[in-house]
Amino acid sequence: MSEQLKFIVEQLNKEPFRKNFNLITFDSLEPMQLLQILNDVLAEIDPKQSIDIREEMPEQTVKRMSSLLGMLKYKPPGTLSDVSSFRQGLVTGSKPVVHPILHWLLQRVAELKKRAYLARFLVKLEVPTEFLLDDVINDTYHQYEELVEGFKTYHKECEHLRNSGFSTAEIRRDINAMEEEKDQLIKRVERLKKRVESVSNHQRMLEQARQLRVEKEREESLTHQKQEQKNQLFQAEQRLLRLQQQLKDLRQAAADATPDSLMRRLEEEIKINTYMVTEKLPKELEGMRRTVQCMQKVVSEPAMGQGDLQGMEDKIKAVDSQINQLIEKRMMRNDPIDDKLTLYRQQASIIIRKKETKAEELQEAREELAAAERELKQRGSHGQGPHGEEVIRGDELKRLVAKLRSKGTIYKKKRQGIAELRAEYGVLQRTEEILKQRHDTIQQKLQTVEAEKGISGYSDTQEELERVSAIKSELDEKKGRTLDDMSEMVKKLNSMIVEKKSALAPIIKELRSLRQRRVELSQDYEEKKAQYESCAAGLESNRSKLEQEVKALREEMAQKENRYHYINAMSEIIEMQIQRAAEEMKAYVSSDLQEKKKAIRDVYMKNIAEQELLGKKLREEQKIVRESHSVNMEQMKMWRDLEQLMECKRQCFIKAQNQVSIGQIIQEGGEDRLVL
C-alpha cells in the first residue's frame, strides 16, 4: 500500500498535475478533495470531465465517473467487486476505493488517453429496434456504421505511419533537399546547354547521347533479367535434383516395402510406442510427481537450521550402516540358487537399462526430427518467391548442399545403427521373455523349497536387499560423479580467480591511487562543507531576520496606506460638504429669487410647511372620526339588524310561496277526481 501511495504522489507531483504533495498531505486529504483529484486525473485523460465536482450532484458525479471507468475497462479489486459498495465508496470518497483507481489510471495515462479518444468515435449509439424499422433512420444508422468502420481504417493507417519511423520534419527536410538538388541540376543543365549551343551539330550529339543512355539502361535491365533467369535455372535444377533423390528414395522404399517388412516395421513401432506409453513415460511421470511432492514438502516445511541438517545426516549415516550390514550378511550366505538368480537379475537389469537408454535416444531423435521439420517448414515459408517458388541464394545454397551431404552421411550411419539396435532390441526382448519364464519357474521352485524348509519369504527379502544395494551403488556412483564434478569446478574456479586477479592487478593499483585521491578530496570536501554550512547558517539567520523586518515594515506600510486612503477619502467628503455649504450660503444670501428657490434651506422649509399642513389636516379628520365613531357604530348596528329582518322576511316569503304552490297542486288533484 505504501508503494502504491508513493507512486501516486510521484505521478501527481509531475507534469501536467504539479500538485506538490507528500505522503502525509496526500493521506490527510478530505474525501471531497480526493474526489476532485480523481476528477482532475480523469479530465487529463478525457477533457470532457474537466468540471468542479462541487457544482455537481453526487449521483451525477458517480454516474459520470463510473461510465468513464467502464469505458476505460477498469476492473475493481477483488474486495470491491460488489457494484453497490464500489459506488458507495465513490460517493463517500473512500480511500480504499479511490487509491486503486488513481494507481491504475496513473500507470497508463497515455494508453487511456488513446482509448478515451477512440471511444468518442467507436462506441456505437444504442438505437431501439422499433426505430430502425423506419427507412430514413435505418439508412442513417447504416451510414453511421460505415463512417465508424472508415474511422477504424484511417486510424490504423495513421498509427502505422506514426510507427513506421517517418516523421513530417524529416520528410520536409528531404523534400527541401531534393528541391535544392533539383534547382542545382536545372542550373547545371542550363550551363551545359549554353556551353553545348556553341558546338556544331549539338542536337545530333545530344540525340546520340540520349540513345546511348537508353541503350545502357536497356543493357542493365537485360543483365538483371539474365541473372534472374540464371538463378531460376539453378533453382529449377536443384529442385529437379531434390525431386529425383526423393523419387529414388521412394523407389528404394517401395522395393523394400514387402508386406512382411511393413508388418515387422509396424510391429516394432507398436512395441516401441507401447513400451514408451506403458513403462517409460509412466516412470518419468511418477518420478516427476515424486519430485514435485518432495519440493512441495520442502516448501511447506519451515526453514531448517544447522541442527536439523546434522540430525538428517546422522539418520542417513545410520541407514547406510544398516544397508551395509544387510549386504554383508547376504554376501556371507552364498547359496548357489541365489547366485543363479543374481546372474539372471543382473542380466535383466542390464537389459532394462539398455532399453531405457535406447528409449531416451529414440525420444531425443524424434524431438530432433520434429525440430528439423519445424525449421524446414519455417525456412520454406520464409524462402518463397512471389509466385510460391523457393528462393535460395548462391552462398546459402552451397552451405545447404554441404550441410545436406553431411546430414546424409550422418543419416545413413544413424539409420544403420537404428537397424542394428532394432535387431539387437528384438534379440534382447526375446532373451528377456525367456529369462522371465525361467525366472518365474525358478521362483515357483524356490517358493516351494522355502515352504518346505519353513523359511517362506526369504527370496523376497533377498530381492529387497539387492534392490537396496543397487540403489546404494547408484547413489555412491552419483556421489563419486558429483565429487568429480565439484573438484573439476573448483579447479576451474581457481583458474578463473587467478586470471581475474592477474587482470585486476593494474586496476587495483590505479584504484589505490584513486582511493588516496578520494580521501584527500573527501577531507577537502568536508572542510568546504563545514565552511559552507556555517556560512549558510549565518546567511539563513540574517535572511530570517531581514524577512521578519520586511514583513513588519510591509504590515506597517499597509496600515499607513489604509490610514492615508481613509484620511484622503474623509478630506474629499469634507471638501464636498464645505463646497455644498458655501453654495448654500451663496444662494441664501443672493437677492435673486430664482437662486433662493434653489437653496436647500428654502426647499426643506417648504417641505416642512407642507408636512405640517398635511398633519394638521389629518388631525382634524381624526377628530371628526372620533366624534362620529359612536354614532356610526350605532348606525352600523341598526343596518345589521335591518339586514337580519329583511333576511327573515325573505325566508318567510319563500316558505309562504312553497305552501301556496302545494295547496294549488292538491286542489287541482281534487278537481281531477271530481271530473272522473
Side-chain angles (χ1 to χ4, degrees):
M1 196 68 179
S2 59
E3 295 296 330
Q4 189 183 70
L5 287 178
K6 285 181 182 178
F7 177 78
I8 293 170
V9 171
E10 287 176 1
Q11 295 298 321
L12 289 176
N13 290 336
K14 294 179 182 178
E15 291 289 340
F17 305 107
R18 292 189 296 177
K19 296 294 183 180
N20 197 15
F21 284 141
N22 55 31
L23 291 175
I24 298 172
T25 55
F26 181 74
D27 193 49
S28 61
L29 289 175
E30 296 293 331
M32 187 62 68
Q33 296 174 345
L34 196 61
L35 284 176
Q36 185 62 49
I37 290 171
L38 176 59
N39 191 78
D40 295 341
V41 175
L42 292 175
E44 179 63 25
I45 294 170
D46 187 5
K48 291 182 180 179
Q49 310 295 323
S50 180
I51 59 174
D52 191 351
I53 61 172
R54 293 175 295 182
E55 300 175 357
E56 190 179 26
M57 296 296 291
E59 293 80 6
Q60 296 177 355
T61 304
V62 171
K63 185 178 179 182
R64 177 173 55 81
M65 290 183 178
S66 300
S67 62
L68 182 59
L69 291 173
M71 184 182 67
L72 298 176
K73 297 181 180 179
Y74 171 73
K75 294 181 179 179
T79 56
L80 298 174
S81 59
D82 190 7
V83 178
S84 61
S85 61
F86 179 73
R87 288 179 178 273
Q88 187 65 27
L90 271 182
V91 171
T92 58
S94 177
K95 293 178 182 178
V97 175
V98 178
H99 286 175
I101 298 174
L102 286 173
H103 185 262
W104 185 80
L105 292 174
L106 294 172
Q107 277 182 329
R108 44 182 72 82
V109 174
E111 178 186 352
L112 296 177
K113 277 185 179 180
K114 182 179 177 181
R115 189 176 294 173
Y117 168 73
L118 294 176
R120 291 168 53 193
F121 305 101
L122 298 182
V123 176
K124 293 185 178 180
L125 298 174
E126 295 294 335
V127 180
T129 55
E130 57 269 17
F131 291 167
L132 293 175
L133 297 175
D134 189 358
D135 295 335
V136 178
I137 296 175
N138 194 7
D139 295 339
T140 307
Y141 189 73
H142 284 307
Q143 291 177 5
Y144 166 70
E145 289 180 343
E146 290 174 358
L147 290 173
V148 170
E149 295 297 328
F151 174 79
K152 288 181 182 178
T153 56
Y154 292 142
H155 180 72
K156 287 179 181 178
E157 292 177 359
C158 179
E159 290 295 324
H160 178 69
L161 291 174
R162 286 178 181 173
N163 297 327
S164 60
F166 296 106
S167 61
T168 55
E170 292 179 357
I171 294 170
R172 286 173 182 171
R173 285 197 296 269
D174 294 340
I175 291 171
N176 293 329
M178 292 171 71
E179 288 179 352
E180 291 176 358
E181 290 179 359
K182 180 182 176 182
D183 295 336
Q184 292 175 3
L185 289 172
I186 290 170
K187 290 178 182 178
R188 287 182 64 184
V189 169
E190 289 177 354
R191 287 198 299 269
L192 290 172
K193 281 183 179 180
K194 289 179 181 178
R195 289 181 185 178
V196 170
E197 284 176 356
S198 60
V199 179
S200 59
N201 297 327
H202 65 278
Q203 292 291 338
R204 184 179 177 185
M205 294 175 70
L206 287 173
E207 185 66 26
Q208 290 178 356
R210 189 179 298 108
Q211 290 178 1
L212 177 63
R213 178 174 54 79
V214 171
E215 293 297 329
K216 283 184 177 180
E217 290 177 355
R218 186 180 176 187
E219 182 182 3
E220 289 179 357
S221 64
L222 291 172
T223 305
H224 184 66
Q225 290 178 4
K226 182 180 179 182
Q227 187 65 33
E228 287 182 353
Q229 289 177 359
K230 282 183 178 180
N231 293 331
Q232 290 176 2
L233 178 62
F234 184 74
Q235 292 170 10
E237 290 176 353
Q238 294 296 324
R239 194 171 180 184
L240 178 62
L241 291 174
R242 287 197 301 273
L243 292 172
Q244 288 176 355
Q245 186 65 33
Q246 289 178 5
L247 180 62
K248 186 177 179 182
D249 294 338
L250 290 172
R251 284 176 179 174
Q252 289 179 358
D256 296 337
T258 60
D260 295 335
S261 62
L262 291 174
M263 288 298 294
R264 282 197 299 273
R265 289 179 188 174
L266 290 173
E267 286 176 357
E268 289 175 359
E269 290 181 0
I270 289 167
K271 288 179 181 179
I272 292 168
N273 293 328
T274 305
Y275 170 73
M276 296 287 290
V277 172
T278 57
E279 295 185 14
K280 188 174 183 301
L281 294 176
K283 287 182 181 179
E284 291 180 356
L285 286 173
E286 188 63 29
M288 289 180 181
R289 285 171 184 167
R290 284 199 297 269
T291 305
V292 170
Q293 289 176 359
C294 292
M295 294 297 180
Q296 290 177 353
K297 187 176 179 181
V298 170
V299 170
S300 61
E301 289 181 356
M304 297 178 68
Q306 190 66 30
D308 297 332
L309 292 174
Q310 189 65 34
M312 292 185 71
E313 288 178 357
D314 294 337
K315 288 181 181 179
I316 292 168
K317 288 178 181 179
V319 173
D320 288 337
S321 63
Q322 290 178 5
I323 291 168
N324 292 327
Q325 290 175 4
L326 292 171
I327 292 169
E328 289 175 359
K329 288 180 181 179
R330 185 181 63 81
M331 292 175 67
M332 290 174 67
R333 298 172 60 186
N334 292 323
D335 194 351
I337 297 174
D338 293 339
D339 293 337
K340 291 180 181 179
L341 291 174
T342 303
L343 179 62
Y344 292 144
R345 290 193 186 98
Q346 288 177 356
Q347 289 179 357
S349 63
I350 290 167
I351 291 168
I352 290 168
R353 287 177 186 174
K354 283 186 177 181
K355 282 175 67 177
E356 289 178 353
T357 54
K358 297 304 178 186
E360 289 176 358
E361 290 177 0
L362 178 62
Q363 186 68 23
E364 291 176 358
R366 285 181 176 178
E367 290 177 357
E368 289 179 0
L369 179 62
E373 288 178 353
R374 286 196 298 271
E375 186 177 359
L376 181 62
K377 287 181 181 178
Q378 186 177 3
R379 289 190 176 183
S381 61
H382 286 301
Q384 287 184 354
H387 301 291
E389 71 276 2
E390 296 182 356
V391 179
I392 303 174
R393 306 298 178 189
D395 298 335
E396 186 178 358
L397 185 61
K398 290 179 182 178
R399 288 195 299 271
L400 184 60
V401 169
K403 191 174 180 181
L404 284 172
R405 286 175 181 172
S406 61
K407 292 284 186 182
T409 56
I410 294 168
Y411 169 72
K412 289 178 181 178
K413 291 180 181 179
K414 296 288 185 183
R415 188 175 179 182
Q416 186 177 1
I418 288 170
E420 293 175 357
L421 290 172
R422 283 178 178 173
E424 186 179 357
Y425 173 72
V427 173
L428 292 172
Q429 193 172 11
R430 180 59 183 164
T431 306
E432 183 184 5
E433 291 176 357
I434 294 168
L435 290 172
K436 281 182 179 179
Q437 291 176 0
R438 291 181 181 179
H439 175 68
D440 293 337
T441 56
I442 292 169
Q443 193 71 21
Q444 291 176 0
K445 291 180 181 179
L446 181 62
Q447 289 177 0
T448 56
V449 171
E450 288 177 355
E452 290 175 358
K453 300 292 185 180
I455 53 172
S456 59
Y458 174 77
S459 60
D460 296 334
T461 307
Q462 187 76 15
E463 289 177 358
E464 186 67 22
L465 289 172
E466 288 177 358
R467 189 178 65 80
V468 172
S469 63
I471 292 170
K472 182 180 180 299
S473 62
E474 290 178 359
L475 290 173
D476 293 336
E477 187 178 354
K478 287 182 180 179
K479 286 180 181 178
R481 287 199 300 270
T482 306
L483 290 173
D484 294 336
D485 295 338
M486 289 177 68
S487 61
E488 187 67 25
M489 189 180 292
V490 168
K491 289 179 183 178
K492 288 182 181 178
L493 290 173
N494 288 329
S495 62
M496 289 173 67
I497 289 166
V498 171
E499 291 176 359
K500 294 293 182 182
K501 282 183 178 179
S502 61
L504 290 173
I507 299 172
I508 291 169
K509 290 181 181 179
E510 294 179 1
L511 183 62
R512 288 173 183 171
S513 60
L514 291 173
R515 282 179 179 172
Q516 186 66 28
R517 178 66 176 165
R518 185 185 68 81
V519 172
E520 295 175 358
L521 291 173
S522 63
Q523 291 177 357
D524 192 8
Y525 168 73
E526 293 295 334
E527 292 176 359
K528 298 293 185 183
K529 185 179 179 182
Q531 293 177 4
Y532 168 75
E533 288 178 352
S534 61
C535 182
L539 292 173
E540 185 68 23
S541 61
N542 293 331
R543 186 179 68 82
S544 61
K545 289 179 182 178
L546 291 172
E547 284 180 353
Q548 291 177 0
E549 291 178 0
V550 168
K551 187 177 180 181
L553 290 172
R554 282 180 178 174
E555 291 177 356
E556 186 178 356
M557 184 184 71
Q559 292 177 0
K560 296 292 185 182
E561 190 174 356
N562 293 332
R563 182 68 178 169
Y564 165 74
H565 288 303
Y566 175 73
I567 292 171
N568 194 10
M570 292 300 293
S571 64
E572 289 179 358
I573 292 169
I574 290 169
E575 285 178 1
M576 291 295 295
Q577 290 177 354
I578 291 169
Q579 186 178 357
R580 289 178 65 186
E583 290 176 357
E584 182 68 19
M585 288 297 295
K586 183 179 177 181
Y588 183 71
V589 174
S590 177
S591 59
D592 192 0
L593 295 175
Q594 296 294 331
E595 291 291 332
K596 281 188 176 183
K597 287 181 180 179
K598 292 180 181 179
I600 296 172
R601 184 173 180 277
D602 293 341
V603 174
Y604 283 165
M605 290 299 291
K606 184 178 179 181
N607 290 334
I608 289 167
E610 290 177 354
Q611 293 297 324
E612 285 179 352
L613 290 173
L614 182 61
K616 186 176 180 181
K617 185 177 180 181
L618 291 172
R619 283 194 295 272
E620 289 177 355
E621 290 179 356
Q622 183 181 11
K623 183 178 179 182
I624 294 167
V625 169
R626 284 178 179 175
E627 290 176 352
S628 62
H629 177 67
S630 58
V631 177
N632 290 332
M633 290 298 290
E634 290 178 357
Q635 190 175 2
M636 186 174 68
K637 185 179 179 182
M638 292 170 67
W639 278 107
R640 285 178 180 171
D641 294 339
L642 180 61
E643 185 180 2
Q644 290 178 0
L645 182 61
M646 294 301 291
E647 181 66 23
C648 184
K649 287 183 177 181
R650 189 178 69 84
Q651 293 292 334
C652 293
F653 178 75
I654 290 169
K655 288 180 180 180
Q657 287 290 331
N658 291 332
Q659 289 176 359
V660 169
S661 61
I662 291 168
Q664 288 177 357
I665 291 167
I666 293 168
Q667 187 176 1
E668 289 176 358
E671 290 177 356
D672 292 335
R673 287 176 182 174
L674 291 173
V675 171
L676 290 172

